[in-house]
Structure formats: structure tokens, C-alpha cells
Amino acid sequence: MKLPRVAWITPTYKRPQHLPNLIACFLAQDYPRELLRLHILDDANQYGRGCAGDRWRVTSYADRVHSLPAKFNWLCRIARNADVIVVAEDDDSFLPWHTLAHVTALQHGGGFSKPSRVFSDYPGHVVEEPAAGRFHGSIALRRELWLRCGGWPDTQRADFDQHAMRVFETAAGGVCDPCEAFPPSY
């Protein structure tokens, strides 16, 4: 079975303390290196030109992008060669099988992947918990679905992530669960 090209997409704004962990999580992925890229959009212009490493790049702009959905859509356009888009928010952590779990779920299901369970530290310590209706940073989708939906709905609403997940799930005809074949990875 041919594996798809995957792009992690990460918007960031004035949170440089989070990027080292994000990049370490990306580099630790047990997915073929030649098929995996990380695209980071910094619209605080903190990094300037040339901030890049092994399969990852930060694109910095001085002008603030008007909304988070617009940032996600901009990143998807940058990742134009990817078959699968993985949302990787800058303050989250991802275990080494995160990419492979999503790819496996997408190959056995539709175009939208979201885990049923995640690790969370909301109670002050790490617990495994249901992910229903939350955890936008845990999703992945086929590029074809992103195109068909017209991307993330561009809104200033605080619940843009919940809205986008409903749009993607509806358009895909359901959700694929990477936790069916793998333990939680987010």
C-alpha cells in the first residue's frame, strides 16, 4: 500500500517557547521521512528568513493574519503537495505514532480523522479521556476534503474549531478514529 505525503500545519503567534517541543514531536514521528513535512506560519515575524531544519520550515510575516481559520487555510495552500493534512497546534504534544495512526485511519475510512481518546493534563496531571467535540489540534484530513469544503470556514468566532470539525465530518460522511488501531497519540 502506497503511503501518502503528509504535511503538519502549525500557526503560531508570539509563542516561541512552544516550537522546540513541537519540532521535537515532529522529528520523532515513525513515518517515512521523505513523505513528511512541517509548515509553521509565524505572523508575528519573530523568526525572519531562513528559519528551517530537517523537513520543517517557519514562514514569517510582519502582517497579522486576520483569523485562525485563515491561517490554517494559508498553511494548507503552502502544503500543496500533501495528500494528508495534520493539524499540529504549537502548544500540543504528539507521540511518535501520531502521523501513522491518522494515515492508517484515513486509509481505512473517509476523509476526516479524529481520535476518540486523547491524553490531557486539564486536571493537573496526565489522564486519558474521551475527545468528543474537542481537541481540534488532534485532527487530520485528506487534502481533497479540505478542497471540497473550501477549507476552514473563515470566521472570527472563538468556536471556529468546533464549527470546522463539524463541517469536515459532515462532508466526509463521518469520522475515522485513529484509536481503532493505535493508542492515543495526542
Side-chain angles (χ1 to χ4, degrees), residues 23-160:
I23 293 168
C25 289
F26 169 76
L27 293 174
Q29 292 301 295
D30 58 6
Y31 195 77
R33 297 167 51 89
E34 68 275 8
L35 297 175
L36 187 60
R37 299 287 178 265
L38 168 60
H39 301 281
I40 302 167
L41 171 59
D42 155 41
D43 60 337
N45 202 29
Q46 291 184 264
Y47 302 97
R49 295 183 182 264
C51 187
D54 179 21
R55 297 170 290 122
W56 63 269
R57 172 175 302 283
V58 177
T59 302
S60 291
Y61 284 101
D63 296 326
R64 184 91 192 258
V65 177
H66 69 276
S67 71
L68 271 170
K71 289 181 190 185
F72 282 109
N73 288 327
W74 187 93
L75 283 159
C76 285
R77 286 188 292 277
I78 289 290
R80 66 187 169 276
N81 293 328
D83 304 305
V84 171
I85 304 295
V86 174
V87 171
E89 293 181 355
D90 62 1
D91 60 346
D92 293 333
S93 293
F94 307 91
L95 294 169
W97 58 89
H98 186 71
T99 303
L100 185 58
H102 276 301
V103 166
T104 301
L106 289 167
Q107 287 181 330
H108 293 100
F112 179 60
S113 178
K114 183 179 185 309
S116 57
R117 304 201 54 78
V118 298
F119 292 113
S120 169
D121 63 358
Y122 286 132
H125 59 281
V126 176
V127 297
E128 185 177 324
E129 68 173 87
R134 303 181 345 200
F135 303 106
H136 175 258
S138 71
I139 69 171
L141 59 149
R142 291 184 182 278
R143 178 176 189 74
E144 175 275 323
L145 179 67
W146 174 76
L147 289 167
R148 189 164 20 111
C149 291
W152 270 257
D154 195 2
T155 177
Q156 295 285 341
R157 292 172 39 166
D159 67 346
F160 82 91

